[in-house]
mmCIF file of all heavy atoms in Angstrom:
data_model
loop_
_atom_site.group_PDB
_atom_site.id
_atom_site.type_symbol
_atom_site.label_atom_id
_atom_site.label_comp_id
_atom_site.label_asym_id
_atom_site.label_seq_id
_atom_site.Cartn_x
_atom_site.Cartn_y
_atom_site.Cartn_z
ATOM 1 N N PRO A 12 -5.630 -12.422 -2.064
ATOM 2 C CA PRO A 12 -4.632 -12.126 -1.021
ATOM 3 C C PRO A 12 -5.266 -12.085 0.373
ATOM 4 O O PRO A 12 -6.426 -11.678 0.522
ATOM 5 C CB PRO A 12 -4.107 -10.742 -1.401
ATOM 6 C CG PRO A 12 -4.473 -10.539 -2.816
ATOM 7 C CD PRO A 12 -5.708 -11.343 -3.062
ATOM 8 N N THR A 34 -1.082 -8.724 7.352
ATOM 9 C CA THR A 34 -0.860 -7.756 6.270
ATOM 10 C C THR A 34 -0.939 -8.480 4.937
ATOM 11 O O THR A 34 -0.234 -9.472 4.748
ATOM 12 C CB THR A 34 0.523 -7.088 6.423
ATOM 13 O OG1 THR A 34 0.614 -6.560 7.734
ATOM 14 C CG2 THR A 34 0.732 -5.989 5.404
ATOM 15 N N PRO A 35 -1.767 -8.003 4.028
ATOM 16 C CA PRO A 35 -1.859 -8.693 2.737
ATOM 17 C C PRO A 35 -0.522 -8.662 1.995
ATOM 18 O O PRO A 35 0.245 -7.718 2.133
ATOM 19 C CB PRO A 35 -2.902 -7.875 1.967
ATOM 20 C CG PRO A 35 -3.570 -7.021 2.967
ATOM 21 C CD PRO A 35 -2.644 -6.824 4.094
ATOM 22 N N GLY A 36 -0.269 -9.720 1.249
ATOM 23 C CA GLY A 36 0.936 -9.754 0.406
ATOM 24 C C GLY A 36 2.154 -10.328 1.075
ATOM 25 O O GLY A 36 3.272 -10.039 0.659
ATOM 26 N N GLU A 37 1.967 -11.112 2.134
ATOM 27 C CA GLU A 37 3.130 -11.699 2.807
ATOM 28 C C GLU A 37 3.863 -12.661 1.859
ATOM 29 O O GLU A 37 5.084 -12.672 1.800
ATOM 30 C CB GLU A 37 2.671 -12.445 4.072
ATOM 31 C CG GLU A 37 3.777 -13.022 4.938
ATOM 32 C CD GLU A 37 4.650 -11.965 5.578
ATOM 33 O OE1 GLU A 37 4.120 -11.127 6.301
ATOM 34 O OE2 GLU A 37 5.884 -11.984 5.360
ATOM 35 N N THR A 39 5.130 -13.683 -1.619
ATOM 36 C CA THR A 39 5.381 -13.001 -2.894
ATOM 37 C C THR A 39 5.833 -13.982 -3.976
ATOM 38 O O THR A 39 5.937 -13.621 -5.137
ATOM 39 C CB THR A 39 6.454 -11.912 -2.725
ATOM 40 O OG1 THR A 39 7.610 -12.522 -2.143
ATOM 41 C CG2 THR A 39 5.982 -10.785 -1.846
ATOM 42 N N ARG A 40 6.136 -15.212 -3.568
ATOM 43 C CA ARG A 40 6.572 -16.231 -4.525
ATOM 44 C C ARG A 40 5.890 -17.540 -4.230
ATOM 45 O O ARG A 40 5.493 -17.775 -3.086
ATOM 46 C CB ARG A 40 8.091 -16.457 -4.390
ATOM 47 C CG ARG A 40 8.850 -15.359 -4.977
ATOM 48 C CD ARG A 40 10.338 -15.476 -4.791
ATOM 49 N NE ARG A 40 10.921 -14.254 -5.322
ATOM 50 C CZ ARG A 40 11.165 -14.060 -6.609
ATOM 51 N NH1 ARG A 40 10.929 -15.003 -7.475
ATOM 52 N NH2 ARG A 40 11.660 -12.910 -7.029
ATOM 53 N N PHE A 62 -4.122 -13.606 -6.101
ATOM 54 C CA PHE A 62 -4.391 -12.988 -7.402
ATOM 55 C C PHE A 62 -4.249 -11.475 -7.262
ATOM 56 O O PHE A 62 -4.783 -10.884 -6.324
ATOM 57 C CB PHE A 62 -5.838 -13.263 -7.826
ATOM 58 C CG PHE A 62 -6.045 -14.600 -8.497
ATOM 59 C CD1 PHE A 62 -6.657 -15.644 -7.815
ATOM 60 C CD2 PHE A 62 -5.647 -14.794 -9.803
ATOM 61 C CE1 PHE A 62 -6.865 -16.868 -8.439
ATOM 62 C CE2 PHE A 62 -5.850 -16.016 -10.426
ATOM 63 C CZ PHE A 62 -6.464 -17.067 -9.752
ATOM 64 N N GLN A 63 -3.565 -10.862 -8.195
ATOM 65 C CA GLN A 63 -3.443 -9.398 -8.155
ATOM 66 C C GLN A 63 -4.189 -8.718 -9.303
ATOM 67 O O GLN A 63 -4.512 -7.541 -9.220
ATOM 68 C CB GLN A 63 -1.964 -8.981 -8.203
ATOM 69 C CG GLN A 63 -1.216 -9.215 -6.911
ATOM 70 C CD GLN A 63 -1.713 -8.341 -5.772
ATOM 71 O OE1 GLN A 63 -2.177 -7.228 -5.989
ATOM 72 N NE2 GLN A 63 -1.638 -8.846 -4.557
ATOM 73 N N ASN A 64 -4.450 -9.491 -10.363
ATOM 74 C CA ASN A 64 -5.124 -8.900 -11.517
ATOM 75 C C ASN A 64 -6.227 -9.822 -12.024
ATOM 76 O O ASN A 64 -6.193 -10.246 -13.194
ATOM 77 C CB ASN A 64 -4.109 -8.650 -12.641
ATOM 78 C CG ASN A 64 -3.026 -7.682 -12.231
ATOM 79 O OD1 ASN A 64 -3.230 -6.482 -12.219
ATOM 80 N ND2 ASN A 64 -1.871 -8.217 -11.866
ATOM 81 N N PRO A 65 -7.187 -10.179 -11.184
ATOM 82 C CA PRO A 65 -8.193 -11.145 -11.646
ATOM 83 C C PRO A 65 -8.980 -10.671 -12.867
ATOM 84 O O PRO A 65 -9.233 -11.466 -13.776
ATOM 85 C CB PRO A 65 -9.103 -11.332 -10.430
ATOM 86 C CG PRO A 65 -8.802 -10.222 -9.516
ATOM 87 C CD PRO A 65 -7.411 -9.800 -9.790
ATOM 88 N N THR A 66 -9.313 -9.377 -12.897
ATOM 89 C CA THR A 66 -10.095 -8.864 -14.035
ATOM 90 C C THR A 66 -9.296 -9.009 -15.321
ATOM 91 O O THR A 66 -9.795 -9.504 -16.329
ATOM 92 C CB THR A 66 -10.439 -7.370 -13.798
ATOM 93 O OG1 THR A 66 -10.917 -7.230 -12.468
ATOM 94 C CG2 THR A 66 -11.467 -6.866 -14.763
ATOM 95 N N ARG A 67 -8.046 -8.600 -15.249
ATOM 96 C CA ARG A 67 -7.219 -8.620 -16.459
ATOM 97 C C ARG A 67 -6.871 -10.062 -16.869
ATOM 98 O O ARG A 67 -6.824 -10.381 -18.053
ATOM 99 C CB ARG A 67 -5.958 -7.789 -16.236
ATOM 100 C CG ARG A 67 -6.320 -6.300 -16.057
ATOM 101 C CD ARG A 67 -5.143 -5.399 -16.240
ATOM 102 N NE ARG A 67 -4.446 -5.182 -14.986
ATOM 103 C CZ ARG A 67 -3.368 -4.403 -14.875
ATOM 104 N NH1 ARG A 67 -2.879 -3.802 -15.921
ATOM 105 N NH2 ARG A 67 -2.781 -4.238 -13.703
ATOM 106 N N SER A 70 -9.977 -11.616 -18.438
ATOM 107 C CA SER A 70 -10.197 -11.034 -19.748
ATOM 108 C C SER A 70 -9.228 -11.655 -20.765
ATOM 109 O O SER A 70 -9.608 -11.995 -21.880
ATOM 110 C CB SER A 70 -10.026 -9.526 -19.610
ATOM 111 O OG SER A 70 -9.692 -8.949 -20.787
ATOM 112 N N GLN A 95 3.882 -6.038 -12.922
ATOM 113 C CA GLN A 95 2.534 -5.952 -12.331
ATOM 114 C C GLN A 95 1.865 -7.324 -12.236
ATOM 115 O O GLN A 95 0.955 -7.527 -11.440
ATOM 116 C CB GLN A 95 1.661 -5.041 -13.183
ATOM 117 C CG GLN A 95 1.955 -3.592 -12.948
ATOM 118 C CD GLN A 95 0.938 -2.727 -13.662
ATOM 119 O OE1 GLN A 95 -0.175 -3.121 -13.918
ATOM 120 N NE2 GLN A 95 1.352 -1.523 -13.987
ATOM 121 N N ARG A 120 -16.513 -13.028 5.064
ATOM 122 C CA ARG A 120 -16.703 -11.728 4.402
ATOM 123 C C ARG A 120 -17.628 -11.915 3.199
ATOM 124 O O ARG A 120 -17.789 -13.048 2.715
ATOM 125 C CB ARG A 120 -15.356 -11.148 3.977
ATOM 126 C CG ARG A 120 -14.633 -11.998 2.944
ATOM 127 C CD ARG A 120 -13.461 -11.268 2.347
ATOM 128 N NE ARG A 120 -12.734 -12.052 1.379
ATOM 129 C CZ ARG A 120 -13.105 -12.208 0.121
ATOM 130 N NH1 ARG A 120 -14.240 -11.699 -0.315
ATOM 131 N NH2 ARG A 120 -12.360 -12.907 -0.720
ATOM 132 N N PRO A 121 -18.208 -10.832 2.691
ATOM 133 C CA PRO A 121 -19.107 -10.994 1.548
ATOM 134 C C PRO A 121 -18.375 -11.464 0.291
ATOM 135 O O PRO A 121 -17.183 -11.179 0.114
ATOM 136 C CB PRO A 121 -19.673 -9.586 1.340
ATOM 137 C CG PRO A 121 -19.389 -8.844 2.585
ATOM 138 C CD PRO A 121 -18.162 -9.430 3.171
ATOM 139 N N LEU A 122 -19.099 -12.149 -0.532
ATOM 140 C CA LEU A 122 -18.558 -12.610 -1.815
ATOM 141 C C LEU A 122 -18.504 -11.401 -2.758
ATOM 142 O O LEU A 122 -19.467 -10.651 -2.853
ATOM 143 C CB LEU A 122 -19.494 -13.673 -2.381
ATOM 144 C CG LEU A 122 -19.139 -14.307 -3.705
ATOM 145 C CD1 LEU A 122 -17.982 -15.277 -3.544
ATOM 146 C CD2 LEU A 122 -20.343 -15.059 -4.270
ATOM 147 N N SER A 123 -17.365 -11.228 -3.432
ATOM 148 C CA SER A 123 -17.236 -10.062 -4.303
ATOM 149 C C SER A 123 -17.085 -10.488 -5.754
ATOM 150 O O SER A 123 -16.850 -11.661 -6.033
ATOM 151 C CB SER A 123 -16.004 -9.250 -3.922
ATOM 152 O OG SER A 123 -16.107 -8.844 -2.609
ATOM 153 N N LYS A 124 -17.135 -9.501 -6.591
ATOM 154 C CA LYS A 124 -17.004 -9.772 -8.023
ATOM 155 C C LYS A 124 -15.641 -10.395 -8.338
ATOM 156 O O LYS A 124 -15.535 -11.312 -9.138
ATOM 157 C CB LYS A 124 -17.168 -8.454 -8.774
ATOM 158 C CG LYS A 124 -17.481 -8.643 -10.217
ATOM 159 C CD LYS A 124 -17.815 -7.302 -10.816
ATOM 160 C CE LYS A 124 -18.145 -7.437 -12.286
ATOM 161 N NZ LYS A 124 -18.424 -6.138 -12.862
ATOM 162 N N VAL A 125 -14.615 -9.878 -7.673
ATOM 163 C CA VAL A 125 -13.269 -10.416 -7.948
ATOM 164 C C VAL A 125 -13.162 -11.881 -7.534
ATOM 165 O O VAL A 125 -12.446 -12.664 -8.165
ATOM 166 C CB VAL A 125 -12.139 -9.599 -7.276
ATOM 167 C CG1 VAL A 125 -11.850 -8.350 -8.033
ATOM 168 C CG2 VAL A 125 -12.401 -9.338 -5.834
ATOM 169 N N GLN A 128 -14.559 -13.780 -10.270
ATOM 170 C CA GLN A 128 -13.614 -13.769 -11.398
ATOM 171 C C GLN A 128 -12.508 -14.802 -11.172
ATOM 172 O O GLN A 128 -12.115 -15.520 -12.089
ATOM 173 C CB GLN A 128 -12.998 -12.374 -11.544
ATOM 174 C CG GLN A 128 -13.963 -11.356 -12.125
ATOM 175 C CD GLN A 128 -13.408 -9.948 -12.072
ATOM 176 O OE1 GLN A 128 -12.571 -9.623 -11.233
ATOM 177 N NE2 GLN A 128 -13.895 -9.104 -12.955
ATOM 178 N N SER A 148 -13.575 -15.387 10.907
ATOM 179 C CA SER A 148 -14.408 -15.083 12.066
ATOM 180 C C SER A 148 -15.605 -16.021 12.057
ATOM 181 O O SER A 148 -15.794 -16.785 11.117
ATOM 182 C CB SER A 148 -14.853 -13.624 12.048
ATOM 183 O OG SER A 148 -15.900 -13.463 11.126
ATOM 184 N N ALA B 178 11.212 -7.564 -0.743
ATOM 185 C CA ALA B 178 10.375 -8.751 -0.924
ATOM 186 C C ALA B 178 11.085 -9.999 -0.430
ATOM 187 O O ALA B 178 10.456 -10.954 0.039
ATOM 188 C CB ALA B 178 10.008 -8.906 -2.393
ATOM 189 N N PHE B 179 12.400 -10.012 -0.526
ATOM 190 C CA PHE B 179 13.158 -11.182 -0.090
ATOM 191 C C PHE B 179 13.454 -11.165 1.400
ATOM 192 O O PHE B 179 13.493 -12.193 2.036
ATOM 193 C CB PHE B 179 14.493 -11.261 -0.841
ATOM 194 C CG PHE B 179 14.343 -11.825 -2.217
ATOM 195 C CD1 PHE B 179 14.513 -11.036 -3.326
ATOM 196 C CD2 PHE B 179 14.012 -13.164 -2.390
ATOM 197 C CE1 PHE B 179 14.365 -11.561 -4.599
ATOM 198 C CE2 PHE B 179 13.859 -13.697 -3.651
ATOM 199 C CZ PHE B 179 14.041 -12.887 -4.761
ATOM 200 N N SER B 182 9.291 -8.811 6.202
ATOM 201 C CA SER B 182 7.910 -9.284 6.292
ATOM 202 C C SER B 182 7.030 -8.299 5.524
ATOM 203 O O SER B 182 7.445 -7.165 5.259
ATOM 204 C CB SER B 182 7.475 -9.338 7.756
ATOM 205 O OG SER B 182 7.371 -8.027 8.244
ATOM 206 N N ALA B 183 5.806 -8.746 5.192
ATOM 207 C CA ALA B 183 4.924 -7.898 4.384
ATOM 208 C C ALA B 183 4.734 -6.534 5.038
ATOM 209 O O ALA B 183 4.802 -5.501 4.370
ATOM 210 C CB ALA B 183 3.585 -8.588 4.181
ATOM 211 N N GLU B 184 4.514 -6.531 6.332
ATOM 212 C CA GLU B 184 4.232 -5.272 7.027
ATOM 213 C C GLU B 184 5.414 -4.309 6.928
ATOM 214 O O GLU B 184 5.255 -3.143 6.576
ATOM 215 C CB GLU B 184 3.894 -5.556 8.492
ATOM 216 C CG GLU B 184 3.288 -4.358 9.164
ATOM 217 C CD GLU B 184 2.938 -4.613 10.615
ATOM 218 O OE1 GLU B 184 3.058 -5.763 11.059
ATOM 219 O OE2 GLU B 184 2.562 -3.654 11.285
ATOM 220 N N ARG B 186 7.894 -4.450 4.809
ATOM 221 C CA ARG B 186 8.159 -4.124 3.412
ATOM 222 C C ARG B 186 7.203 -3.027 2.926
ATOM 223 O O ARG B 186 7.637 -2.032 2.347
ATOM 224 C CB ARG B 186 7.959 -5.401 2.593
ATOM 225 C CG ARG B 186 8.201 -5.225 1.104
ATOM 226 C CD ARG B 186 7.938 -6.525 0.371
ATOM 227 N NE ARG B 186 6.538 -6.881 0.382
ATOM 228 C CZ ARG B 186 6.056 -8.078 0.674
ATOM 229 N NH1 ARG B 186 6.876 -9.034 1.030
ATOM 230 N NH2 ARG B 186 4.771 -8.328 0.636
ATOM 231 N N SER B 394 -19.392 -2.818 -8.114
ATOM 232 C CA SER B 394 -20.755 -3.349 -8.208
ATOM 233 C C SER B 394 -21.149 -4.207 -7.005
ATOM 234 O O SER B 394 -22.321 -4.220 -6.611
ATOM 235 C CB SER B 394 -20.915 -4.139 -9.500
ATOM 236 O OG SER B 394 -19.967 -5.184 -9.509
ATOM 237 N N THR B 395 -20.188 -4.906 -6.398
ATOM 238 C CA THR B 395 -20.512 -5.770 -5.254
ATOM 239 C C THR B 395 -21.126 -4.978 -4.102
ATOM 240 O O THR B 395 -21.933 -5.496 -3.349
ATOM 241 C CB THR B 395 -19.245 -6.483 -4.746
ATOM 242 O OG1 THR B 395 -18.524 -6.956 -5.858
ATOM 243 C CG2 THR B 395 -19.571 -7.604 -3.810
ATOM 244 N N GLN B 399 -24.592 -5.299 -1.056
ATOM 245 C CA GLN B 399 -24.480 -5.246 0.400
ATOM 246 C C GLN B 399 -25.169 -4.028 1.022
ATOM 247 O O GLN B 399 -25.622 -4.077 2.155
ATOM 248 C CB GLN B 399 -23.003 -5.236 0.823
ATOM 249 C CG GLN B 399 -22.206 -6.449 0.388
ATOM 250 C CD GLN B 399 -22.625 -7.701 1.121
ATOM 251 O OE1 GLN B 399 -22.863 -7.677 2.328
ATOM 252 N NE2 GLN B 399 -22.723 -8.812 0.389
ATOM 253 N N ASP B 423 -15.785 -3.512 -15.276
ATOM 254 C CA ASP B 423 -14.523 -4.225 -15.496
ATOM 255 C C ASP B 423 -13.658 -3.563 -16.561
ATOM 256 O O ASP B 423 -12.432 -3.543 -16.457
ATOM 257 C CB ASP B 423 -14.806 -5.666 -15.932
ATOM 258 C CG ASP B 423 -15.332 -6.495 -14.786
ATOM 259 O OD1 ASP B 423 -15.308 -5.996 -13.654
ATOM 260 O OD2 ASP B 423 -15.776 -7.634 -15.029
ATOM 261 N N ASP B 427 -9.704 -2.844 -16.766
ATOM 262 C CA ASP B 427 -8.960 -3.601 -17.768
ATOM 263 C C ASP B 427 -8.287 -2.702 -18.803
ATOM 264 O O ASP B 427 -7.208 -3.011 -19.297
ATOM 265 C CB ASP B 427 -9.954 -4.558 -18.444
ATOM 266 C CG ASP B 427 -9.243 -5.647 -19.196
ATOM 267 O OD1 ASP B 427 -8.093 -5.945 -18.830
ATOM 268 O OD2 ASP B 427 -9.814 -6.194 -20.149
ATOM 269 N N GLU B 448 -14.829 -2.161 -2.042
ATOM 270 C CA GLU B 448 -15.194 -3.038 -0.928
ATOM 271 C C GLU B 448 -14.098 -2.963 0.139
ATOM 272 O O GLU B 448 -12.937 -3.271 -0.141
ATOM 273 C CB GLU B 448 -15.316 -4.491 -1.390
ATOM 274 C CG GLU B 448 -16.288 -4.727 -2.520
ATOM 275 C CD GLU B 448 -15.615 -4.702 -3.892
ATOM 276 O OE1 GLU B 448 -14.600 -4.007 -4.043
ATOM 277 O OE2 GLU B 448 -16.112 -5.364 -4.807
ATOM 278 N N TRP B 450 -13.661 -4.830 2.606
ATOM 279 C CA TRP B 450 -13.220 -6.134 3.101
ATOM 280 C C TRP B 450 -12.183 -6.778 2.190
ATOM 281 O O TRP B 450 -11.676 -7.847 2.486
ATOM 282 C CB TRP B 450 -14.424 -7.069 3.277
ATOM 283 C CG TRP B 450 -15.222 -7.308 2.029
ATOM 284 C CD1 TRP B 450 -14.999 -8.239 1.074
ATOM 285 C CD2 TRP B 450 -16.381 -6.578 1.612
ATOM 286 N NE1 TRP B 450 -15.924 -8.147 0.079
ATOM 287 C CE2 TRP B 450 -16.797 -7.139 0.378
ATOM 288 C CE3 TRP B 450 -17.106 -5.509 2.151
ATOM 289 C CZ2 TRP B 450 -17.909 -6.664 -0.319
ATOM 290 C CZ3 TRP B 450 -18.203 -5.045 1.441
ATOM 291 C CH2 TRP B 450 -18.605 -5.620 0.222
ATOM 292 N N LEU B 451 -11.883 -6.111 1.085
ATOM 293 C CA LEU B 451 -10.862 -6.662 0.184
ATOM 294 C C LEU B 451 -9.570 -5.863 0.290
ATOM 295 O O LEU B 451 -9.606 -4.634 0.343
ATOM 296 C CB LEU B 451 -11.349 -6.612 -1.263
ATOM 297 C CG LEU B 451 -12.519 -7.523 -1.629
ATOM 298 C CD1 LEU B 451 -12.898 -7.329 -3.091
ATOM 299 C CD2 LEU B 451 -12.194 -8.986 -1.374
ATOM 300 N N PRO B 452 -8.436 -6.542 0.308
ATOM 301 C CA PRO B 452 -7.177 -5.794 0.327
ATOM 302 C C PRO B 452 -6.906 -5.178 -1.053
ATOM 303 O O PRO B 452 -7.497 -5.615 -2.043
ATOM 304 C CB PRO B 452 -6.136 -6.870 0.654
ATOM 305 C CG PRO B 452 -6.745 -8.152 0.236
ATOM 306 C CD PRO B 452 -8.222 -8.005 0.319
ATOM 307 N N LEU B 454 -5.502 -4.530 -4.625
ATOM 308 C CA LEU B 454 -4.901 -5.400 -5.641
ATOM 309 C C LEU B 454 -4.076 -4.550 -6.597
ATOM 310 O O LEU B 454 -4.296 -3.347 -6.715
ATOM 311 C CB LEU B 454 -5.987 -6.123 -6.438
ATOM 312 C CG LEU B 454 -6.879 -7.104 -5.704
ATOM 313 C CD1 LEU B 454 -7.823 -7.776 -6.682
ATOM 314 C CD2 LEU B 454 -6.066 -8.157 -4.978
ATOM 315 N N GLU B 455 -3.183 -5.211 -7.294
ATOM 316 C CA GLU B 455 -2.339 -4.508 -8.270
ATOM 317 C C GLU B 455 -3.199 -3.816 -9.322
ATOM 318 O O GLU B 455 -2.931 -2.689 -9.715
ATOM 319 C CB GLU B 455 -1.392 -5.528 -8.924
ATOM 320 C CG GLU B 455 -0.352 -4.938 -9.838
ATOM 321 C CD GLU B 455 0.531 -3.891 -9.185
ATOM 322 O OE1 GLU B 455 1.000 -4.130 -8.073
ATOM 323 O OE2 GLU B 455 0.727 -2.812 -9.793
ATOM 324 N N GLU B 456 -4.273 -4.514 -9.762
ATOM 325 C CA GLU B 456 -5.094 -3.910 -10.817
ATOM 326 C C GLU B 456 -5.860 -2.673 -10.317
ATOM 327 O O GLU B 456 -6.141 -1.771 -11.086
ATOM 328 C CB GLU B 456 -6.029 -4.930 -11.463
ATOM 329 C CG GLU B 456 -7.062 -5.525 -10.560
ATOM 330 C CD GLU B 456 -7.908 -6.584 -11.278
ATOM 331 O OE1 GLU B 456 -7.499 -7.098 -12.334
ATOM 332 O OE2 GLU B 456 -8.988 -6.896 -10.750
ATOM 333 N N GLN B 459 -3.331 0.033 -10.362
ATOM 334 C CA GLN B 459 -3.126 0.476 -11.738
ATOM 335 C C GLN B 459 -4.267 1.389 -12.180
ATOM 336 O O GLN B 459 -4.059 2.348 -12.905
ATOM 337 C CB GLN B 459 -3.004 -0.741 -12.663
ATOM 338 C CG GLN B 459 -2.549 -0.412 -14.064
ATOM 339 C CD GLN B 459 -1.230 0.370 -14.102
ATOM 340 O OE1 GLN B 459 -0.320 0.116 -13.316
ATOM 341 N NE2 GLN B 459 -1.145 1.358 -14.979
ATOM 342 N N ARG B 462 -3.431 4.692 -10.886
ATOM 343 C CA ARG B 462 -2.340 5.285 -11.686
ATOM 344 C C ARG B 462 -2.883 5.786 -13.025
ATOM 345 O O ARG B 462 -2.559 6.893 -13.470
ATOM 346 C CB ARG B 462 -1.254 4.233 -11.958
ATOM 347 C CG ARG B 462 -0.357 3.962 -10.780
ATOM 348 C CD ARG B 462 0.837 3.116 -11.235
ATOM 349 N NE ARG B 462 1.336 2.317 -10.122
ATOM 350 C CZ ARG B 462 1.190 1.007 -9.997
ATOM 351 N NH1 ARG B 462 0.560 0.316 -10.929
ATOM 352 N NH2 ARG B 462 1.669 0.375 -8.955
ATOM 353 N N HIS B 483 -16.369 -4.405 11.025
ATOM 354 C CA HIS B 483 -15.701 -5.656 11.380
ATOM 355 C C HIS B 483 -14.208 -5.367 11.583
ATOM 356 O O HIS B 483 -13.634 -4.579 10.831
ATOM 357 C CB HIS B 483 -15.882 -6.675 10.241
ATOM 358 C CG HIS B 483 -15.536 -8.064 10.653
ATOM 359 N ND1 HIS B 483 -14.259 -8.554 10.566
ATOM 360 C CD2 HIS B 483 -16.297 -9.053 11.181
ATOM 361 C CE1 HIS B 483 -14.257 -9.794 11.018
ATOM 362 N NE2 HIS B 483 -15.481 -10.121 11.396
ATOM 363 N N PRO B 488 -6.982 -3.996 8.836
ATOM 364 C CA PRO B 488 -5.714 -4.290 8.138
ATOM 365 C C PRO B 488 -5.766 -3.874 6.666
ATOM 366 O O PRO B 488 -4.777 -3.371 6.129
ATOM 367 C CB PRO B 488 -5.572 -5.812 8.261
ATOM 368 C CG PRO B 488 -6.415 -6.209 9.404
ATOM 369 C CD PRO B 488 -7.526 -5.207 9.490
ATOM 370 N N GLN B 492 -3.454 -1.098 4.866
ATOM 371 C CA GLN B 492 -2.724 -1.410 3.643
ATOM 372 C C GLN B 492 -3.035 -0.397 2.548
ATOM 373 O O GLN B 492 -2.138 0.025 1.816
ATOM 374 C CB GLN B 492 -3.063 -2.844 3.197
ATOM 375 C CG GLN B 492 -2.335 -3.315 1.958
ATOM 376 C CD GLN B 492 -0.822 -3.388 2.132
ATOM 377 O OE1 GLN B 492 -0.276 -3.084 3.193
ATOM 378 N NE2 GLN B 492 -0.131 -3.736 1.077
ATOM 379 N N ARG B 495 -1.042 2.635 3.131
ATOM 380 C CA ARG B 495 0.347 2.459 2.672
ATOM 381 C C ARG B 495 0.422 2.582 1.155
ATOM 382 O O ARG B 495 1.327 3.213 0.619
ATOM 383 C CB ARG B 495 0.856 1.075 3.092
ATOM 384 C CG ARG B 495 1.059 0.908 4.571
ATOM 385 C CD ARG B 495 1.700 -0.446 4.829
ATOM 386 N NE ARG B 495 1.624 -0.812 6.213
ATOM 387 C CZ ARG B 495 0.853 -1.783 6.696
ATOM 388 N NH1 ARG B 495 0.114 -2.511 5.893
ATOM 389 N NH2 ARG B 495 0.836 -2.054 7.984
#
Side-chain angles (χ1 to χ4, degrees):
Chain A
T34 307
E37 184 66 58
T39 54
R40 285 176 185 278
F62 276 105
Q63 286 294 329
N64 298 281
T66 313
R67 294 197 270 181
S70 156
Q95 282 188 26
R120 63 168 179 81
L122 180 74
S123 301
K124 198 172 180 182
V125 282
Q128 286 172 334
S148 77
Chain B
F179 280 110
S182 69
E184 193 180 354
R186 180 182 68 227
S394 59
T395 316
Q399 300 291 318
D423 288 351
D427 196 25
E448 304 94 331
W450 59 86
L451 292 179
L454 296 184
E455 187 56 46
E456 64 183 18
Q459 190 55 38
R462 283 191 207 108
H483 194 272
Q492 182 63 0
R495 291 186 194 110

